[in-house]
Amino acid sequence: MDRLHRRYEKPNMWEGKVTLRVIVKLNKVQQEARHCRCQPAGEGQFEVLDKFENRFVVNLNHYGCDCRVWENTGISCLHAAASISYIRGESVNYCDPFFSIRKYLDTYKEMIHPLPDLAVLKDDAPNEKVLPPNLKRLPSRPHKIRKREA
Ligand SMILES: [Zn+2]
């Protein structure tokens, strides 16, 4: 109950569109993306060379990269981050909507209702015992009655 409440109250201090953890990841990816070289091809497509000279095709319009990290995690990979920096965009706008603060709040909006003290519940129903349910014979194959011959 306390954990759900704390997680529901936490986003009040956050600013922006996505959760704090995603912002930290995006900043880290943005730092690594500085080593990439980016060549625009038009219509949101880029050819990106990383520091090992591996070539990747990034399509910002379809939120995709050849490394498949962006499609699988919802957070832009370093190749996409380099492309986003090239067009002077913000990585936050290219994140999956699942990481938005609104979705976070939707996750923790339900609450666990508090319960009264157990002593109060016992006073309401004195001398009532909870009995186990009646036993029923479960359906099964009938036993075979054997006739033994002498
Ligand atoms: Zn990539």
Side-chain angles (χ1 to χ4, degrees), residues 56-58 64-71 76-81:
F56 296 94
V57 175
V58 175
C65 177
D66 282 349
C67 70
R68 303 277 183 203
V69 170
W70 199 6
E71 290 96 331
S76 57
C77 61
L78 60 114
H79 317 112

Side-chain angles (χ1 to χ4, degrees), residues 59-100:
N59 192 331
L60 293 180
N61 295 334
H62 295 108
Y63 299 88
C65 177
D66 282 349
C67 70
R68 303 277 183 203
V69 170
W70 199 6
E71 290 96 331
N72 291 329
T73 62
I75 298 173
S76 57
C77 61
L78 60 114
H79 317 112
S83 305
I84 292 166
S85 296
Y86 187 87
I87 61 169
R88 303 206 188 283
E90 292 185 30
S91 296
V92 172
N93 296 331
Y94 292 92
C95 278
D96 195 283
F98 177 77
F99 297 111
S100 67

Side-chain angles (χ1 to χ4, degrees), residues 8-122:
Y8 186 75
E9 291 289 322
K10 199 188 292 183
N12 291 333
M13 295 179 286
W14 295 346
E15 294 177 3
K17 296 178 181 178
V18 295
T19 61
L20 192 60
R21 180 174 284 189
V22 173
I23 289 174
V24 169
K25 283 185 181 179
L26 287 174
N27 288 337
K28 186 177 174 186
V29 167
Q30 201 73 37
Q31 291 293 322
E32 293 173 9
R34 293 187 308 172
H35 304 291
C36 294
R37 286 183 290 148
C38 196
Q39 181 65 42
E43 296 183 6
Q45 293 190 12
F46 293 87
E47 184 181 279
V48 179
L49 291 169
D50 64 2
K51 62 182 175 184
F52 303 112
E53 297 296 320
N54 296 320
R55 189 181 311 253
F56 296 94
V57 175
V58 175
N59 192 331
L60 293 180
N61 295 334
H62 295 108
Y63 299 88
C65 177
D66 282 349
C67 70
R68 303 277 183 203
V69 170
W70 199 6
E71 290 96 331
N72 291 329
T73 62
I75 298 173
S76 57
C77 61
L78 60 114
H79 317 112
S83 305
I84 292 166
S85 296
Y86 187 87
I87 61 169
R88 303 206 188 283
E90 292 185 30
S91 296
V92 172
N93 296 331
Y94 292 92
C95 278
D96 195 283
F98 177 77
F99 297 111
S100 67
I101 291 177
R102 190 177 58 80
K103 293 285 185 185
Y104 185 90
L105 286 172
D106 284 348
T107 303
Y108 294 107
K109 73 179 177 188
E110 302 296 332
M111 62 182 283
I112 298 174
H113 295 279
L115 291 174
D117 189 27
L118 196 59
V120 174
L121 291 175
K122 284 181 180 175

